[in-house]
Amino acid sequence: MNRLVVFGCSHAYGLGLPDCTLDTGPSKLGFANILGKKLNIPVVNNADTGRSQKEIAVSILETTVYDTDLIVINWSSPVRRSVWLSLIHI
């Protein structure tokens, strides 16, 4: 394992923890960094607030991961929905 790569919603992002706002980026007090410190590996936190299952899946598919990475996926609530709009230009 050369790094911990985390995907998910606001729970994995750490929103609500004392050091975390939408402007500061993922929390340093969240579970991802605690786990990274315990394993002594760097953390790549690809979580974001408000992510739906579909958005988390897209983030996973768009991220380069390596054979040596440890991957953690924090799926969001199953009732969370995202709106995907198709714009048709006539």
Side-chain angles (χ1 to χ4, degrees), residues 2-69:
N2 67 354
R3 57 187 193 153
L4 171 65
V5 185
V6 177
F7 300 94
C9 63
S10 58
H11 296 288
Y13 189 85
L15 191 63
L17 293 172
D19 70 331
C20 185
T21 68
L22 296 177
D23 297 326
T24 60
S27 172
K28 300 295 182 206
L29 302 172
F31 80 84
N33 283 334
I34 292 170
L35 182 57
K37 285 179 185 174
K38 288 191 177 287
L39 295 173
N40 197 31
I41 56 175
V43 175
V44 177
N45 192 334
N46 286 331
D48 204 354
T49 60
R51 280 212 167 141
S52 68
Q53 310 288 32
K54 192 180 292 186
E55 291 168 319
I56 294 168
V58 168
S59 176
I60 294 165
L61 294 171
E62 291 179 344
T63 299
T64 300
V65 294
Y66 304 98
D67 291 342
T68 57
D69 288 344

Side-chain angles (χ1 to χ4, degrees), residues 8 20 50 76 78 86:
C20 185
S76 66
S86 282

Side-chain angles (χ1 to χ4, degrees), residues 59-84:
S59 176
I60 294 165
L61 294 171
E62 291 179 344
T63 299
T64 300
V65 294
Y66 304 98
D67 291 342
T68 57
D69 288 344
L70 174 62
I71 309 296
V72 174
I73 304 169
N74 183 128
W75 293 107
S76 66
S77 169
V79 296
R80 183 174 284 172
R81 305 274 194 272
S82 63
V83 178
W84 293 67

